[in-house]
């Protein structure tokens, strides 16, 4: 019987009160963004906001609780932006949207940081026994968002990023699931080299990097691309990684995502991005449940072991009230799917 799991890819919007307080405490310039050494007042504000968003998830009945990544001023680039071996430079566009992050320039060996592990330790205490889900950028996307001035070539840099993330995961508290967010697999897809030779960061190497991070945890690992569908070769290589589920953004692209599953198969689990993480329109729980049925109707498989019901993207784009409503809809949709499957 399929297990339906309601969850999110994290990166939540700040509660309105926290946004106002942090605006006064931190300022509005590039040098005011989180660097890993925040003072007591800023730290206390983030702690209170973390407690609130965990309460929101619990009240919505989500099956996996994330920390929320409220400190991640640089979105997916955060783990590097707060690293001692990284220099943050100018502001650059975060993919093809109206958000910006500080360019992280790696200038030394990427040793252990522990920043994200510390956040998860705090979340684990607040989750009070509920299943915890860790969230990280996937190695390919993190390498894509960063600049290398130390390792010397793309292959060595991707390997270093993968080793860095694996070391961070190894320090995480107990967690049920690890989501690796990989939008760059769609937005800046790895390509094969000339005459069939693998490029420095081609699809096979990207899959191997993901596999290395996934090997650092005993939790279920979900690789969540978004903003479209993976190219066929990228998807086929991703299935070679030792992961438990691949995510599909059915908001941005239904047909190509369906084609990949129909043509190449899938992992035992699947993550369905069926609620729009960037649109304020709140989906009806029954409509989300119906979309699950629709996906099943298009596929040759009879059932998956686990189906994760989630937004297709991070949710920090949303007004806080709409974000809360989206979580409630996901929690109820998973309950409806479980009842129908029983």
């Amino acid at each position: 019987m399929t297990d339906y799991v309601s969850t999110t890819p994290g990166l939540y919007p700040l509660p309105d009160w926290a946004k106002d307080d942090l605006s006064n405490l931190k300022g509005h310039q590039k040098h005011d963004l989180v660097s890993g050494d925040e003072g007591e007042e800023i730290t206390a504000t983030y702690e209170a906001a973390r407690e609130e968003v965990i309460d929101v998830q619990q009240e919505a009945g989500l099956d996996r609780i994330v920390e929320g990544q409220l400190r991640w001023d640089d979105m997916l680039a955060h783990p590097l932006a707060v690293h001692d071996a990284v220099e943050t430079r100018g502001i650059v566009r975060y993919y093809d949207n109206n958000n910006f992050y500080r360019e992280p320039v790696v200038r030394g060996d990427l040793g252990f940081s522990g920043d994200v592990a510390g956040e998860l330790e705090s979340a684990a205490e607040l989750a009070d026994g509920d299943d915890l889900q860790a969230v990280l950028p996937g190695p390919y996307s993190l390498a894509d968002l960063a600049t290398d001035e130390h390792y010397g070539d793309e292959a060595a840099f991707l390997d270093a990023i993968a080793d860095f993330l694996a070391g961070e995961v190894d320090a995480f508290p107990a967690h049920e699931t690890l989501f690796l967010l990989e939008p760059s697999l769609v937005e800046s897809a790895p390509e094969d080299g000339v005459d069939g030779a693998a490029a420095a960061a081609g699809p096979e190497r990207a899959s191997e990097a993901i596999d290395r991070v996934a090997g650092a945890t005993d939790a279920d690992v979900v690789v969540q691309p978004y903003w479209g569908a993976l190219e066929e070769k990228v998807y086929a290589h991703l299935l070679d990684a030792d992961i438990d589920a691949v995510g599909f953004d059915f908001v941005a692209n239904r047909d190509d995502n369906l084609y990949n599953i129909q043509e190449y198969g899938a992992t035992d689990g699947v993550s369905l991005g069926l609620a729009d993480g960037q649109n304020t329109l709140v989906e009806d729980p029954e409509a989300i449940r119906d979309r699950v049925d629709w996906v099943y109707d298009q596929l040759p498989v009879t059932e998956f072991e686990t189906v994760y019901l989630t937004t297709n993207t991070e949710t920090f784009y949303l007004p806080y009230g709409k974000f809360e409503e989206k979580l409630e809809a996901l929690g109820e949709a998973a309950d409806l799917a479980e009842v129908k499957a029983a």
Side-chain angles (χ1 to χ4, degrees):
M1 180 176 167
T2 300
D3 183 21
Y4 291 90
V5 176
S6 53
T7 188
T8 65
L11 278 81
Y12 287 168
L14 280 162
D16 292 336
W17 66 265
K19 189 181 299 183
D20 291 340
D21 287 357
L22 288 167
S23 178
N24 294 327
L25 289 169
K26 290 169 59 181
H28 304 278
Q29 304 303 313
K30 180 175 83 76
H31 60 266
D32 297 319
L33 301 182
V34 162
S35 60
D37 57 355
E38 301 84 60
E40 290 184 6
E41 283 188 286
I42 292 174
T43 298
T45 302
Y46 278 120
E47 287 175 349
R50 179 188 296 121
E51 182 173 3
E52 179 172 324
V53 298
I54 288 176
D55 286 344
V56 167
Q57 293 172 80
Q58 291 171 323
E59 290 172 5
L62 294 191
D63 298 303
R64 297 289 184 273
I65 303 298
V66 302
E67 185 269 336
Q69 294 73 51
L70 302 175
R71 291 176 57 244
W72 291 27
D73 286 338
D74 300 285
M75 288 76 80
L76 292 185
H78 171 86
L80 289 183
V82 298
H83 196 287
D84 290 341
V86 175
E87 176 186 339
T88 55
R89 294 184 184 166
I91 299 293
V92 291
R93 186 178 294 275
Y94 182 66
Y95 297 103
D96 188 22
N97 58 51
N98 292 324
N99 294 281
F100 297 84
Y101 70 101
R102 296 169 295 179
E103 178 190 14
V105 181
V106 178
R107 305 197 64 191
D109 288 342
L110 289 172
F112 177 71
S113 166
D115 182 88
V116 180
E119 292 179 334
L120 279 174
E121 291 282 1
S122 298
E125 294 175 6
L126 294 169
D128 194 27
D130 287 345
D131 288 338
L132 189 67
Q133 177 174 294
V135 175
L136 278 176
Y140 181 78
S141 293
L142 188 56
D144 181 51
L145 292 170
T147 299
D148 171 38
E149 289 188 358
H150 177 69
Y151 290 96
D153 66 65
E154 289 184 21
F157 187 48
L158 181 58
D159 288 346
I161 293 288
D163 288 340
F164 161 65
L165 290 174
E168 300 303 298
V169 170
D170 190 55
F172 285 177
H175 52 287
E176 191 73 18
T177 312
L178 169 63
F179 261 51
L180 296 176
L181 308 186
E182 283 282 16
S184 288
L185 286 178
V186 174
E187 291 288 299
S188 181
E191 299 179 354
D192 278 347
V194 179
D195 298 327
E204 184 175 4
R205 186 174 289 277
S207 177
E208 291 171 350
I210 290 168
D211 187 79
R212 195 174 312 172
V213 180
T217 180
D218 293 328
D220 290 338
V221 178
V222 180
V223 176
Q224 187 84 10
Y226 42 94
W227 291 321
L230 297 175
E231 294 179 0
E232 291 181 53
K233 186 168 287 188
V234 175
Y235 179 70
H237 278 293
L238 181 57
L239 293 180
D240 291 333
D242 187 15
I243 57 178
D244 299 278
V246 175
F248 298 92
D249 181 351
F250 281 106
V251 174
N253 189 323
R254 296 191 307 177
D255 293 343
D256 290 341
N257 277 310
L258 281 173
Y259 172 82
N260 281 339
I261 304 175
Q262 292 166 341
E263 187 70 16
Y264 298 100
T267 44
D268 291 336
V270 63
S271 177
L272 303 180
L274 296 173
D276 195 332
Q278 297 177 271
N279 192 311
T280 56
L281 177 65
V282 178
E283 295 82 358
D284 183 82
E286 291 190 359
I288 296 174
R289 194 277 313 278
D290 290 344
R291 292 172 191 176
V292 176
D293 293 341
W294 178 87
V295 171
Y296 263 115
D297 289 343
Q298 314 304 311
L299 300 180
V301 299
T302 55
E303 67 177 22
F304 294 98
E305 289 183 8
T306 306
V307 173
Y308 297 90
L309 299 184
T310 181
T311 54
N312 63 323
T313 70
E314 322 104 310
T315 58
F316 68 84
Y317 312 93
L318 298 172
Y320 191 74
K322 294 295 183 181
F323 150 77
E324 291 179 293
E325 292 180 43
K326 293 268 184 177
L327 266 55
E328 292 171 1
L330 285 169
E332 188 173 341
D335 290 341
L336 290 170
E338 289 280 6
V339 169
K340 184 169 183 179

